[in-house]
Amino acid sequence: MQLPLEDRYLMTRSDLYSQLAVLLGGRTAEEIALNEISTGAQNDLQRASDMARAMVTEWGMSDELGAINYDVNKRGRFLDIGMPQERGLYSEETSQKIDVEIKRILTEAHDTARRILTEHRPKLESVTKRLLEIRSHGRRGT
């Protein structure tokens, strides 16, 4: 179980990559086990996307873009005025680089989740089978 991001004070890049792999694990498991995806991972995808965006735009964790904070939305909250959300105070080229970096980070996390799930699939299927047995026995007793 992982603490919500706001409950942690210091996170390394590797901690965040691990959290991203966990968030994408359910979606990846569907792909592997069912050869299909569903809408069930919507919240995890949103959280993973937000985290990857923060890594790139707030925390300077992109080697491509460097240690720069591109998150201008904080400015509007600080001034407490109703400013519309804007793309940012950077060029279209930088915006495209941000998008590419976010996609790269999420793809890497997805690949990590796929590797781990594939590597441990026999164990996961064994646990799943046992849980289904326990569940079916519990229903008979009621």
Side-chain angles (χ1 to χ4, degrees), residues 53-103:
R53 178 168 294 284
M55 289 172 72
V56 174
T57 63
E58 293 179 48
W59 302 326
M61 293 184 173
S62 165
D63 293 335
E64 175 70 23
L65 291 155
I68 299 172
N69 183 311
Y70 292 98
D71 187 19
V72 298
N73 294 326
K74 301 280 189 219
R75 179 174 47 91
R77 283 180 253 156
F78 172 74
L79 296 174
D80 199 29
I81 55 177
M83 296 175 61
Q85 289 197 352
E86 51 189 289
R87 181 192 80 223
L89 301 175
Y90 42 84
S91 69
E92 183 62 33
E93 178 185 349
T94 299
S95 179
Q96 290 174 358
K97 285 181 181 180
I98 289 170
D99 290 342
V100 167
E101 275 296 280
I102 292 167
K103 182 174 174 131

Side-chain angles (χ1 to χ4, degrees), residues 21 111-121 124:
D111 291 345
T112 298
R114 177 176 289 285
R115 180 184 48 76
I116 291 168
L117 290 169
T118 301
E119 190 174 302
H120 297 282
R121 186 171 182 173
L124 294 168

